[in-house]
């Protein structure tokens, strides 16, 4: 990782749905905005057939929290458009989050109903953070969950994130971060390098070859400037000729060739044979071209040294959002006692009450269940691992959960968390969650 | 629309793949970076079964272009991490785009191979814009294309964008903008209101009802603060009781009720009957709850007054990226003559040459084909409409294509462009593009 990273800190106050502020206004009016409240983020289910999800986005939430401030441009907008009344504007102008936030650490595996984030504060303070919290967790966890299946399928071969062009330009930066949390080696996204210290990589595209009057001239130009250790893209015209030309230009020191089209399994095999025959036994083969976790798994037997993954990664490989919700589960009543609350109407039943969670591990350290306690921490049977960490105490973000170092730690946690799960997590075919979610009331 | 809007102008230079800059370095080294070049954005195909796409994102590209500047933090990062050499850093420090950009206006329908954006400049200048241009067009067009099917299915009933929580927080702002371009009435996203002057709306969530000691207290608090014209969410406990309580609290002036769960078609019918029976014939019914274009179409016969759309909209309703590519199609040779170029290897064949496009219209003004000319504008048969507009001339962004006014114009263009297409565009079932793409060489 490279440091110092450059923080990106736009004002985040209006990453917020209109109704969060009208609810605040009405609650200020009725005197309920100051009721102590507990909101919880969870996913009712995993995307269809997935065995597990990977939590990501928390670090970005904590980084954005300090810029969740209603300053003059935001207040002027809200006043001009009559979103809320004068009293609410005054409350917003003074707003600083003063509560506590707990949750699953980034890189941790999660399952249906896992209490991924818990926000304890007044109703008003916790309510207005809803949209931003969900945006970041839903996006980043969707990407990390897909990325984890890809790195698992790659089985140790490096995966490189290169999907920036297929998603929103800022989502691309977050996607690169989430991918690295879930085991990707590096990214093509330079802003993610600047902001989070991620390793960035890249060499050349087809346009570079087409710019020159011949493939040989293009390869000569590239190696003259970037060195023989670069990767040459050999499929602009004819792959076999491309490989021969690459070796002719760069000799045995050629770092790599990239294949971006065609039947990659067969092609990787004969390109490997050709490279070896030409004496380039150390030249690596990188494959790109709409890879997903299934294509990566299919390439397991091919002599491939690295995978470049784009579209499928940044779109969550079929599940572009993690489906997490943010629900009021407990709040103070008129008598100042906490009351568990939950929506009761059809098809969206939730469980009220403050949640606690641990991962039950057997004597071999293998996970057997996600145990959720309601109102209290579940009993630890000796090997278990508690899953909730405190991120914010009385409005202060605790150290260690933000910035580039948080990404490094999350990547380590991802590896450790996966190693603990039953081997069924490595199955790509559809199935049930790798471990059941159990409640202890 | 509300003005003045507040521009969001982060430095955009590193929304860029690493390889764009290494290509630049190698091309500077070989002397080819200054070759005049034409890059073209197009989609090889529409998402499976879609009849048309809607172009969006161009306004954001033009807004970001002025902040595509390599300033000290960007240059320091590139130097520190050895992405490029000293000479390239100097070139980047001086970089200002000096070329021309043409393309389809936002809100315009497009088809396979439509030349959505054309960038004419030196290779170096056009190359480094690739990633940012594709990120913005791929994301925003994916959302606008899905949104257009939804507003078409809604057939005049207002659609409200409320998907911010299901996508990246900045993607959410762009999604709101793209939705309004494609006919949405308004958005829940406040930042989109601030930045683009979009109408924002919202009232309350289940948490507001749960915060209070009874549904009646919640409704009383909401109407006391927001007025009787507000919408009350009636499905926290029991829908029938919710409707009765809402009418009891707000009387005949109640603005609306919102239904967010259950069988919406049946529910909307009996809720309408109940409201009428209670004397609330003017109270509107808004439905939300995982709507997509198919659910909206299924609700056509139900007495629904507005649709709130979230997840499906911001994830492109199954097609979260538009699959557009940015290809070098023509460039100067050593003799200073332009040469058409295209990748020739398997399964990704492209057509070289500068493209021009018009929509062929018959005598009734109905579109019959997307006609693409290679190297010259296709002949206009009298009724046709040219599709390429100039957005940037010698590096200067031309007026009218950015800011809130561009969104308003794009929404008008969307309506006009759809009205011109054959009625098959309104079919939601899978099929061929509504009009064929034809080449005139």
């Amino acid at each position: 990782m490279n440091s110092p990273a450059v923080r990106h800190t736009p004002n985040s106050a209006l990453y917020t749905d209109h109704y969060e502020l009208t609810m605040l206004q009405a609650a200020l009016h009725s005197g309920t905005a100051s009721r102590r409240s507990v909101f919880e983020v969870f996913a009712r289910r995993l995307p269809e057939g997935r065995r597990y999800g990977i939590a990501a986005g928390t670090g970005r939430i904590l980084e954005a929290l300090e810029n969740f401030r209603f300053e003059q441009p935001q207040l002027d907008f809200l006043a001009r458009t009559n979103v809320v009344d004068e009293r609410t504007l005054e409350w917003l102008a003074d707003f600083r989050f003063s509560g506590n936030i707990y949750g699953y650490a980034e890189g941790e595996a999660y399952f249906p109903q896992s209490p991924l984030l818990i926000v304890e504060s007044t109703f008003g303070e916790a309510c207005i953070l809803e949209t931003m919290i969900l945006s970041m967790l839903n996006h980043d966890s969707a990407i990390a969950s897909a990325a984890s299946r890809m790195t698992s399928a790659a089985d140790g071969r490096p995966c490189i994130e290169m999907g920036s062009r297929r998603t929103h330009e800022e989502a691309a930066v977050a996607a690169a971060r989430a991918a690295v949390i879930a085991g990707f080696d590096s990214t093509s996204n330079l802003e993610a390098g600047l902001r989070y210290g991620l390793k960035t990589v890249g060499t050349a595209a087809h346009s570079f070859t087409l710019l020159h009057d011949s493939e040989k001239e293009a390869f000569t130009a590239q190696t003259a400037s970037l060195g023989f250790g670069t990767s040459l893209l050999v499929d602009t015209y004819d792959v076999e000729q491309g490989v021969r030309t690459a070796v002719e230009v760069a000799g045995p020191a050629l770092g790599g060739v990239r294949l971006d089209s065609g039947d990659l399994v067969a092609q990787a095999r004969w390109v490997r044979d050709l490279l070896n025959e030409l004496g380039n036994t150390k030249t690596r083969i990188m494959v790109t071209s709409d890879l997903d976790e299934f294509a990566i798994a299919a390439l397991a037997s091919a002599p491939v040294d690295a995978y470049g993954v784009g579209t499928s990664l940044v779109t969550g490989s079929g599940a572009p959002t993690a489906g997490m919700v943010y629900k009021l589960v407990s709040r103070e009543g008129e008598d100042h006692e906490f009351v568990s609350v939950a929506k009761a109407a059809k098809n969206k039943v939730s469980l009220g009450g403050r949640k606690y969670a641990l991962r039950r591990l057997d004597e071999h350290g293998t996970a057997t269940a996600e145990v959720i306690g309601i109102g209290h921490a579940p009993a630890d049977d000796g090997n278990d691992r508690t899953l909730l960490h405190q991120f914010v105490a009385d409005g202060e973000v605790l150290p260690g959960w933000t910035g580039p170092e948080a990404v490094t730690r999350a990547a380590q946690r991802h590896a450790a968390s996966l190693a603990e799960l039953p081997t069924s997590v490595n199955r790509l075919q559809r199935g049930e969650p790798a471990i059941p979610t159990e409640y202890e009331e």
Side-chain angles (χ1 to χ4, degrees), chain A:
Chain A
M1 303 258 168
N2 311 299
S3 57
V6 173
R7 291 287 277 270
H8 173 73
T9 51
N11 184 295
S12 58
L14 295 189
Y15 291 143
T16 299
D17 286 323
H18 186 118
Y19 80 178
E20 315 288 5
L21 301 193
T22 47
M23 279 194 274
L24 170 67
Q25 174 183 314
L28 285 170
H29 190 271
S30 72
T32 51
S34 58
R35 286 187 172 185
R36 306 287 310 168
S37 296
V38 182
F39 280 84
E40 179 192 321
V41 174
F42 62 96
R44 290 194 174 89
R45 65 196 75 83
L46 298 174
E48 201 188 335
R50 293 276 182 90
R51 313 286 179 148
Y52 66 104
I54 295 295
T58 317
R60 294 207 307 117
I61 292 168
L62 300 176
E63 289 163 11
L65 193 59
E66 64 183 275
N67 298 297
F68 199 96
R69 298 269 187 273
F70 293 82
E71 295 170 332
Q72 216 51 52
Q74 289 75 37
L75 294 169
D76 286 348
F77 164 74
L78 297 173
R80 190 173 70 237
T81 56
N82 297 309
V83 172
V84 288
D85 63 15
E86 191 58 39
R87 178 184 177 187
T88 309
L89 291 174
E90 283 166 23
W91 189 96
L92 292 172
D94 291 338
F95 171 75
R96 298 288 181 276
F97 182 73
S98 69
N100 299 315
I101 301 181
Y102 308 83
Y104 280 42
E106 290 189 285
E108 184 65 80
Y110 72 85
F111 300 92
Q113 310 293 338
S114 293
L116 284 151
L117 204 76
I118 290 170
V119 179
E120 293 179 345
S121 190
T122 63
F123 176 81
E125 287 193 2
C127 168
I128 64 174
L129 295 179
E130 174 176 24
T131 313
M132 184 183 81
I133 285 176
L134 284 177
S135 288
M136 294 184 179
L137 282 178
N138 270 323
H139 175 268
D140 293 13
S141 298
I143 307 305
S145 297
S148 179
R149 284 160 60 88
M150 293 168 183
T151 54
S152 174
D155 201 19
R157 290 176 179 171
C159 292
I160 300 162
E161 189 284 306
M162 33 196 282
S164 298
R165 65 190 56 196
R166 303 299 189 176
T167 188
H168 182 281
E169 70 282 4
E170 270 293 324
V173 183
R177 181 183 182 279
V180 169
I181 285 176
F184 271 59
D185 171 70
S186 48
T187 175
S188 65
N189 188 292
L190 291 171
E191 184 72 21
L194 173 72
R195 219 180 278 176
Y196 298 110
L198 307 185
K199 182 167 95 182
T200 67
V201 297
T203 55
H206 295 112
S207 62
F208 186 80
T209 300
L210 296 171
L211 170 68
H212 290 82
D213 298 324
S214 72
E215 192 172 50
K216 186 171 176 181
E217 282 179 47
F219 290 175
T220 304
Q222 186 177 331
T223 52
S225 179
L226 303 176
F228 291 141
T230 192
S231 272
L232 295 170
L233 177 58
V234 292
D235 71 342
T236 302
Y237 302 109
D238 174 85
V239 178
E240 184 184 338
Q241 189 52 54
V243 172
R244 291 185 182 277
T245 304
V247 171
E248 185 190 337
V249 167
L254 176 61
V257 295
R258 178 157 78 92
L259 305 173
D260 185 48
S261 51
D263 174 356
L264 295 173
V265 174
Q267 204 177 134
R269 289 198 176 120
W270 69 253
V271 167
R272 179 76 272 160
D273 290 345
L274 178 59
L275 284 168
N276 292 350
E277 191 185 298
L278 296 170
N280 280 47
T281 54
K282 307 271 184 179
T283 299
R284 292 153 51 88
I285 297 176
M286 177 181 181
V287 296
T288 54
S289 187
D290 286 338
L291 299 182
D292 60 13
E293 61 269 47
F294 303 102
I296 291 170
L299 283 157
S301 67
V304 167
D305 299 289
Y307 302 102
V309 190
T311 308
S312 290
L313 177 79
V314 298
T315 59
S317 196
T321 184
M324 293 173 190
V325 293
Y326 183 84
K327 294 295 172 191
L328 180 67
V329 292
S330 181
R331 51 92 184 152
E332 214 177 358
E334 225 167 349
D335 56 2
H336 302 295
E337 292 295 306
F338 270 89
V339 189
S340 293
V341 294
K343 181 172 187 297
K346 301 175 248 228
N347 90 357
K348 283 188 180 171
V349 177
S350 302
L351 280 168
R354 165 71 152 91
K355 310 297 189 308
Y356 298 81
L358 55 75
R359 188 143 304 149
R360 180 135 294 158
L361 303 174
D362 67 14
E363 65 277 22
H364 309 295
T366 300
T368 61
E370 190 82 338
V371 186
I372 300 174
I374 301 181
H376 66 275
D380 183 334
D381 74 0
N383 301 305
D384 301 345
R385 192 159 63 78
T386 188
L387 294 167
L388 294 182
H389 299 265
Q390 185 161 14
F391 301 132
V392 177
D394 298 333
E396 290 299 314
V397 175
L398 299 176
W401 301 106
T402 58
E405 63 278 16
V407 178
T408 310
R409 287 180 60 196
Q412 292 160 352
R413 187 176 301 107
H414 170 258
S417 181
L418 273 205
E420 212 175 59
L421 292 174
T423 53
S424 67
V425 293
N426 298 319
R427 288 188 206 138
L428 294 178
Q429 66 270 39
R430 294 179 172 202
E432 296 299 309
I435 55 174
T437 301
E438 297 171 358
Y439 288 95
E440 205 180 277
E441 290 196 59

